[in-house]
Amino acid sequence: MKTFLKILLTALAVVVLAKILPGVTVIDYTTAVIVAIVISLLNMFVRPLLVFFTLPATIVTLGLFLFVINAIIILLADKLVDGFEVPGFFTALLFSVLLSFFRTVLFSLLKDEKQIRN
């Protein structure tokens, strides 16, 4: 249930970012949910490989290269999901930073609700 809720919150963040950022398009809410699932799967399987293979660049840049990896994940999701478009690398970079911020805020609200119930 918690994973399903996280995917829905990520889809909500994707829709909001598509409205805010110029050039980013999401056709409908179903596409946003699919984008959220694809981003989650890419973060689970592809991101660790990218981090491993780019470890020297990540160390030299003191971790800032991880932003580039996040942008690559967004561009991969763009290629994999029809109905989701990100026009370029810098838009994907901004999208990934804002998505991370929105997810952090939304997921912290979930934790606060859980702590209140206990």
Side-chain angles (χ1 to χ4, degrees), residues 26-94:
V26 177
I27 292 178
D28 56 4
Y29 296 112
T30 306
T31 305
V33 172
I34 293 170
V35 168
I37 292 170
V38 167
I39 288 173
S40 297
L41 290 173
L42 288 172
N43 280 332
M44 192 182 311
F45 295 112
V46 177
R47 189 171 193 271
L49 291 172
L50 289 174
V51 169
F52 177 74
F53 288 123
T54 61
L55 193 58
T58 303
I59 291 171
V60 168
T61 62
L62 302 174
L64 292 177
F65 194 75
L66 293 174
F67 289 119
V68 174
I69 291 174
N70 289 340
I72 291 170
I73 294 293
I74 298 301
L75 290 173
L76 282 173
D78 173 24
K79 298 297 181 201
L80 292 174
V81 179
D82 291 334
F84 174 63
E85 293 182 19
V86 180
F89 176 78
F90 291 108
T91 306
L93 183 66
L94 183 60

Side-chain angles (χ1 to χ4, degrees), residues 14 17-19 21-26 84-87 91-92 95:
V14 167
L17 287 174
K19 302 270 187 210
L21 293 176
V24 178
T25 57
V26 177
F84 174 63
E85 293 182 19
V86 180
T91 306
F95 184 90

Side-chain angles (χ1 to χ4, degrees), residues 95-110:
F95 184 90
S96 68
V97 169
L98 291 175
L99 182 65
S100 297
F101 175 74
F102 284 165
R103 288 179 66 181
T104 301
V105 170
L106 292 172
F107 293 172
S108 70
L109 294 175
L110 285 178

